[in-house]
Amino acid sequence: MKLIIRGEWLGNANTLLLFSLICTTCISVTLTQGQQKVNEKICKELPAPKFLLPKQLPLTALASFQGSGNTWVRQILAGATGYKTGDIYLSYGDDEYPEFSSAHNDSVLAIKTHTFSASSSDDFQFRRALVIARHPLDALYSEFNRVYGGNKTGYAEKFHLVNTDGSLTWKWDTWMTHITSWIDFYKYWIKVFPGKAYIIYYNNLKHRTFSELEGAIRFLGLEPDYVRLNCTIEFPKPAYFKRTNTPPPVDKKTLFRFSISKADKAIGIFKQLIFSEFGAESETYKRFNLDISVKDLL
């Protein structure tokens, strides 16, 4: 028989979450300020995300370079807060997915955008931004698969990537030149954009989801709902457009071998931007994490 640990609120949600996970033989419980346990039944009964009240929050961009997981972040951000997210591209209708709306006004928590110019962001009058940062090679690879694989869940076929002699195709080599666009994107949102920005590091969100989401929620001016937040983490809904687990047609080590040095330079520029705009002692700089998924390449 498994035991249930009970505890008292200690004034720190992270402390309680950590405390509840130390005992690996116990039923998974996460306590909130109200000393509530989070279980699957409670999570299933949570209301679907709703719209914000007019002028409840400033208009907020959810900005990312293509291929950086914007749709996934929208899904979990809406689940953790209980508010819908929007989209300047009108990708999904309001009835398709409960977390998403086609709205791009202050009725939604944050609005998906891949733009990176003053004229584009001014069109929507964004006052602040959540900015998703992912390693440039991983982001470019993901976007390449979306474009040449025909959708968000598959892979581009092998002939798009390598020639019959094993060399990389002109199409892939040309695609890798977009590393410069990756730099330009973050130069705009970190340095040029006049509003406040909060950096969401993709790898942190995958591996330290609680703290990364909690920080983003507080930046938005909301008090975290720890029931919803922990439900989103402990009982996640399947990602709507997660790429299949089938092996890709060409391994990343082959694809990235000639682009690593360019990516390293781009990341160096990004880190310097974070240093100059936020400071070395800032929480944003200390959270810096742009590890690549193929770690042995670095």
Side-chain angles (χ1 to χ4, degrees):
M1 182 176 69
K2 295 180 179 179
L3 300 175
I4 300 176
I5 288 183
R6 297 186 182 275
E8 295 182 358
W9 174 247
L10 301 178
N12 185 304
N14 288 316
T15 301
L16 280 176
L17 179 66
L18 186 60
F19 175 69
S20 68
L21 296 178
I22 288 173
C23 182
T24 57
T25 62
C26 300
I27 294 174
S28 176
V29 294
T30 306
L31 302 179
T32 69
Q33 289 187 1
Q35 296 185 337
Q36 299 173 344
K37 294 184 300 180
V38 174
N39 58 47
E40 193 166 9
K41 184 176 184 297
I42 289 175
C43 296
K44 286 182 176 180
E45 293 174 350
L46 289 173
K50 61 184 180 180
F51 289 102
L52 292 166
L53 298 174
K55 302 186 184 301
Q56 182 176 346
L57 293 174
L59 197 66
T60 305
L62 182 61
S64 69
F65 190 77
Q66 291 96 323
S68 297
N70 198 304
T71 301
W72 172 57
V73 175
R74 288 181 65 191
Q75 183 179 349
I76 63 174
L77 189 62
T81 62
Y83 293 108
K84 290 178 178 287
T85 57
D87 184 348
I88 71 169
Y89 306 105
L90 309 179
S91 302
Y92 314 107
D94 288 355
D95 297 327
E96 290 184 78
Y97 305 98
E99 297 86 357
F100 300 162
S101 169
S102 58
H104 42 272
N105 53 42
D106 64 4
S107 69
V108 290
L109 187 64
I111 300 167
K112 175 180 178 176
T113 179
H114 298 311
T115 60
F116 54 101
S117 69
S119 59
S120 297
S121 64
D122 283 349
D123 286 344
F124 296 93
Q125 298 182 325
F126 292 126
R127 295 293 176 258
R128 57 187 184 172
L130 294 170
V131 182
I132 307 167
R134 189 181 188 184
H135 192 287
L137 296 185
D138 277 339
L140 286 168
Y141 178 64
S142 178
E143 181 64 3
F144 187 92
N145 283 319
R146 185 191 71 81
V147 172
Y148 293 104
N151 55 56
K152 291 186 175 183
T153 61
Y155 289 99
E157 293 187 48
K158 187 174 181 179
F159 70 85
H160 288 298
L161 298 162
V162 294
N163 298 308
T164 54
D165 62 0
S167 61
L168 298 176
T169 63
W170 173 85
K171 186 182 296 183
W172 174 256
D173 283 341
T174 302
W175 193 263
M176 285 295 97
T177 63
H178 293 309
I179 288 177
T180 57
S181 297
W182 185 92
I183 296 170
D184 291 339
F185 177 90
Y186 292 105
K187 281 182 177 179
Y188 172 72
W189 285 104
I190 295 172
K191 192 175 182 66
V192 179
F193 176 64
K196 291 184 178 180
Y198 182 89
I199 311 301
I200 297 175
Y201 296 102
Y202 179 89
N203 282 346
N204 287 347
L205 197 59
K206 284 184 67 177
H207 302 297
R208 293 186 287 278
T209 311
F210 184 93
S211 59
E212 200 78 1
L213 263 183
E214 184 185 32
I217 292 168
R218 289 193 181 280
F219 170 81
L220 290 170
L222 299 172
E223 187 66 25
D225 179 337
Y226 288 111
V227 174
R228 293 199 73 109
L229 178 54
N230 288 311
C231 281
T232 300
I233 295 167
E234 292 194 36
F235 302 102
K237 292 179 66 174
Y240 292 137
F241 303 106
K242 182 179 175 65
R243 188 151 280 114
T244 60
N245 290 324
T246 56
V250 182
D251 67 271
K252 289 183 179 180
K253 192 169 184 177
T254 298
L255 294 174
F256 293 166
R257 65 182 185 270
F258 297 121
S259 304
I260 286 295
S261 61
K262 292 179 182 178
D264 282 348
K265 290 178 182 177
I267 290 171
I269 294 171
F270 177 95
K271 193 170 186 178
Q272 182 59 40
L273 281 170
I274 297 296
F275 175 84
S276 62
E277 297 301 313
F278 294 92
E281 297 303 315
S282 69
E283 175 264 350
T284 303
Y285 189 80
K286 291 176 180 178
R287 285 188 300 112
F288 176 84
N289 182 356
L290 283 181
D291 287 346
I292 196 169
S293 60
V294 187
K295 296 183 185 300
D296 60 338
L297 290 179
L298 297 180

